[in-house]
Amino acid sequence: PETLALMVLWKPPTIFWAVYKMVVPFVDKKTRGKIIMAYKQSDLTHAFDVDTLPKTLGGNAEDEEMLIRIQDLSRDDIDY
């Protein structure tokens, strides 16, 4: 079953793009449309309202606590 709502890769290294191009033919078309590789703020505004994005990502929101760096992510942060 489809479980991916949206995947955003913010400024991924070039290798991600190369690997994605090789793997994408095997990914379901519906899932492909849910993957965004965002390199600039305007790429994010296609999926998010500027007022809900934190300032570090080019938005207007003050609440930086809404984001958790993947390095700091723990099992307690994830809803199963």
Side-chain angles (χ1 to χ4, degrees):
E2 182 67 39
T3 58
L4 180 65
L6 180 66
M7 179 191 310
V8 178
L9 300 169
W10 176 244
K11 295 184 180 179
T14 307
I15 190 71
F16 277 68
W17 182 251
V19 171
Y20 177 76
K21 284 297 191 182
M22 290 187 289
V23 173
V24 75
F26 304 103
V27 177
D28 183 76
K29 187 176 180 180
K30 185 176 179 181
T31 303
R32 270 186 253 158
K34 297 178 181 183
I35 301 171
I36 299 172
M37 290 199 191
Y39 292 93
K40 52 191 176 204
Q41 190 262 345
S42 62
D43 295 334
L44 292 174
T45 57
H46 292 290
F48 302 99
D49 181 18
V50 175
D51 293 329
T52 62
L53 286 172
K55 288 185 178 183
T56 55
L57 297 178
N60 299 327
E62 295 287 342
D63 187 9
E64 296 292 331
E65 294 178 13
M66 66 183 257
L67 296 176
I68 301 172
R69 296 180 336 147
I70 198 161
Q71 299 93 318
D72 301 331
L73 195 63
S74 70
R75 287 187 176 264
D76 295 334
D77 297 317
I78 301 170
D79 295 328
Y80 291 100

